[in-house]
């Protein structure tokens, strides 16, 4: 597969995606962002518990 044919397929795929809008009604950006933030805070807390010697 050449670079040109791969790029043409990606352009076609992107053009088809415009018809649907890409947004799903059941996915809330606030809930997704808040969940990601909570997971990152949990990972930070776990990391600091393992690095008590510093």
């Amino acid at each position: 597969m050449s670079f040109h044919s791969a790029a043409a397929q990606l352009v076609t795929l992107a053009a088809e995606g415009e018809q649907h809008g890409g947004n799903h009604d059941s996915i809330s950006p606030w809930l997704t962002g808040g969940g990601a933030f909570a997971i990152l805070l949990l990972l930070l807390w776990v990391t600091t518990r393992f690095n008590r010697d510093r």
Side-chain angles (χ1 to χ4, degrees), residues 1-2 4-5 10 14-15 17-21 24-27 30-33 35 40 44-45 48-50 52 54:
M1 178 182 291
S2 70
H4 179 68
S5 65
L10 287 174
E18 287 179 357
Q19 297 169 356
H20 302 292
H24 196 275
D25 291 339
S26 67
I27 299 175
W30 286 101
L31 184 61
T32 304
L40 287 172
L44 179 64
W45 180 79
T48 56
R49 297 305 105 194
F50 282 116
R52 285 187 174 232
R54 293 184 179 220

Side-chain angles (χ1 to χ4, degrees), residues 2-17:
S2 70
F3 179 74
H4 179 68
S5 65
Q9 288 177 353
L10 287 174
V11 167
T12 304
L13 183 63
E16 290 174 358

